[in-house]
Amino acid sequence: NRYLYSFTGTEIFYFWRMIPKRIPIFSFLITLLLTLYSCQKQNINRFKKVKKNTEVLKLITKADSFYKNKKNPDSAFFYYNKARTNCNPKEDAKTYVYCMYCMAEIQQDHEDFIGSTITAKETIPYLNKIKDPNQVWNIYSVLGRNYYYTYDYPSAIYYYSKAFVLKVDRINILEAKNNIATIYLQQGKYNKALQIFLSISKEKLVLQKPIYYSKILDYIGICYFKLRNTKALAFFQKSIQISSKVNHEDGLGKTYYNLAEYYYNNKTLSMMYAKLSYKNYTLSGNTNNRLLALKFIIENTVSPAEIKENALLYIKENHRIYRFRQKAKSQFAKMKYDSKREKDPNLKLKAQKIK
């Protein structure tokens, strides 16, 4: 039958001898195909990762442009949030922590101290993955300020003190010392604060920065003033001299206000410095302290006509600031809500992918 094959003994032997050679060839082909598939999959995953990282960097660049010019912090927050939801903190802790830090700073600027603290604390599990200690310090610094603004001074000192165990830049250590001394000042521990401010004033880094140096001199003046030491006047005058040279209006406003209090018993000099404080705070755009100076002027004015005029101005300014803040808070709240709405679908999508 032409459809049937018959083998001789030699042929059968040859056939079976060939089988072991065919099996390795088949196995090799399978292994090769699996390797090619694996490489292709790795390349696709690598491409996706690069693409995702590029998208994250673009979002951060956009956020930075909004945040650094201080014109649109709400949009900055939105893009930082979008960037951090697209990066894996376990794989890229540096980018994640940077985004969260900027978001915490923006929340703090909007006086959302609780929200800022929550945001900053979310980074703590990943800080041990950060190589740059200064980036770690940024988180501790924002936490310290949040606790300071909410009058939790022990917690503020705890986070500021983290700078002393981290190998951070000298300027960050000085910032931590300055902030701790400011807390002592608020607590009425004037001698303790004074010693820190005096040590900072001798630092070469501080002497090279006129604005920072003038601030330290002003703080020293306050400490001496509170301790009823006449040395205060010399430090206030030196601070004004330096601030005037660099046209630092906000610093001038602060020191002039301190001089108004220093000369409280000399109404002529006190009112002169209070008005100079108000003028410089107005020029610097510091609305809070401008109102503080105006309040001082009202409380120490004798003329009923002037009192009425300044009181009406105070009410008007206070109302304007209140409306501005309420509008800013509403916009920020809406932006946070929109960010949360975007985050929720992203979380659901990630959960579906895991399943």
Side-chain angles (χ1 to χ4, degrees):
N1 192 327
R2 61 194 179 94
Y3 296 108
L4 297 175
Y5 292 95
S6 61
F7 296 95
T8 63
T10 305
E11 288 171 334
I12 290 168
F13 172 76
Y14 179 76
F15 176 79
W16 286 108
R17 193 180 65 180
M18 288 298 293
I19 287 174
K21 292 185 178 180
R22 289 174 184 175
I23 290 172
I25 291 168
F26 180 74
S27 298
F28 171 74
L29 289 171
I30 294 294
T31 305
L32 181 63
L33 287 170
L34 287 171
T35 304
L36 289 170
Y37 174 75
S38 178
C39 290
Q40 188 180 17
K41 193 175 180 181
Q42 283 177 9
N43 287 335
I44 290 167
N45 289 338
R46 196 178 293 114
F47 173 75
K48 283 181 179 178
K49 190 176 179 181
V50 170
K51 188 180 178 183
K52 196 172 187 180
N53 289 343
T54 305
E55 287 171 2
V56 167
L57 287 173
K58 281 182 181 177
L59 289 167
I60 290 172
T61 303
K62 201 166 188 177
D64 285 344
S65 66
F66 282 119
Y67 185 48
K68 285 173 183 176
N69 64 25
K70 300 292 180 183
K71 289 181 180 178
N72 202 336
D74 296 355
S75 294
F77 186 94
F78 176 81
Y79 286 109
Y80 283 130
N81 187 58
K82 202 169 183 179
R84 69 106 183 186
T85 55
N86 281 285
C87 70
N88 187 337
K90 291 179 181 178
E91 293 178 3
D92 190 1
K94 184 180 177 181
T95 303
Y96 175 80
V97 170
Y98 174 75
C99 291
M100 294 293 273
Y101 162 69
C102 293
M103 288 166 66
E105 283 275 12
I106 294 166
Q107 286 173 300
Q108 190 179 88
D109 291 341
H110 282 77
E111 298 182 4
D112 179 12
F113 304 122
I114 294 171
S116 177
T117 300
I118 292 167
T119 301
K121 280 192 171 182
E122 282 184 34
T123 68
I124 289 175
Y126 308 104
L127 293 181
N128 61 351
K129 296 177 182 290
I130 304 295
K131 292 180 181 178
D132 183 5
N134 292 295
Q135 192 179 0
V136 176
W137 159 246
N138 286 339
I139 294 295
Y140 292 141
S141 177
V142 78
L143 283 168
R145 277 179 272 128
N146 284 330
Y147 285 117
Y148 172 78
Y149 292 135
T150 52
Y151 307 102
D152 184 352
Y153 296 141
S155 294
I157 290 172
Y158 169 78
Y159 282 106
Y160 287 144
S161 298
K162 293 276 189 180
F164 308 139
V165 293
L166 292 167
K167 292 180 180 178
V168 296
D169 295 341
R170 185 65 184 165
I171 192 69
N172 289 331
I173 290 172
L174 294 175
E175 181 196 333
K177 285 185 175 182
N178 176 83
N179 293 345
I180 290 169
T182 305
I183 291 171
Y184 290 148
L185 197 58
Q186 293 293 330
Q187 291 176 324
K189 298 174 182 177
Y190 305 124
N191 270 314
K192 212 170 182 179
L194 177 62
Q195 296 312 310
I196 297 172
F197 286 131
L198 284 170
S199 69
I200 294 171
S201 70
K202 296 169 186 174
E203 292 276 345
K204 188 179 177 181
L205 259 174
V206 174
L207 293 168
Q208 291 171 344
K209 296 178 182 292
I211 290 174
Y212 194 14
Y213 185 43
S214 68
K215 284 181 181 180
I216 297 299
L217 293 173
D218 185 72
Y219 276 131
I220 293 169
I222 294 169
C223 290
Y224 278 128
F225 171 53
K226 295 294 183 182
L227 292 167
R228 300 179 185 277
N229 190 318
T230 53
K231 286 182 180 179
L233 184 58
F235 283 95
F236 286 143
Q237 288 172 338
K238 194 172 181 180
S239 178
I240 285 170
Q241 187 183 4
I242 294 167
S243 293
S244 297
K245 280 184 180 178
V246 293
N247 200 29
H248 185 223
E249 289 145 349
D250 197 65
L252 286 168
K254 187 173 182 288
T255 309
Y256 281 135
Y257 185 85
N258 290 332
L259 281 167
E261 288 193 322
Y262 181 84
Y263 284 111
Y264 187 76
N265 294 323
N266 184 332
K267 292 300 176 188
T268 304
L269 280 175
S270 183
M271 286 296 284
M272 181 187 80
Y273 286 122
K275 286 174 181 178
L276 282 170
S277 175
Y278 177 79
K279 179 186 175 182
N280 279 277
Y281 276 139
T282 302
L283 290 169
S284 71
N286 190 329
T287 51
N288 286 336
N289 288 344
R290 180 175 64 176
L291 280 181
L292 190 68
L294 184 58
K295 185 185 175 186
F296 186 95
I297 292 166
I298 293 165
E299 288 172 349
N300 293 279
T301 299
V302 178
S303 167
E306 277 189 57
I307 291 171
K308 184 181 177 181
E309 183 186 346
N310 288 327
L312 288 170
L313 179 61
Y314 183 90
I315 293 164
K316 183 182 176 182
E317 283 293 295
N318 202 27
H319 183 62
R320 186 184 68 81
I321 291 166
Y322 175 78
R323 278 189 300 151
F324 175 79
R325 283 182 177 169
Q326 287 301 111
K327 185 180 177 183
K329 281 181 181 179
S330 297
Q331 288 176 342
F332 188 64
K334 183 182 181 299
M335 179 273 304
K336 278 186 15 178
Y337 174 72
D338 290 341
S339 297
K340 188 178 183 301
R341 281 180 63 192
E342 184 177 333
K343 182 183 173 185
D344 289 342
N346 284 340
L347 289 174
K348 286 177 184 176
L349 187 62
K350 283 178 182 178
Q352 285 171 2
K353 284 181 178 178
I354 291 167
K355 287 178 183 179

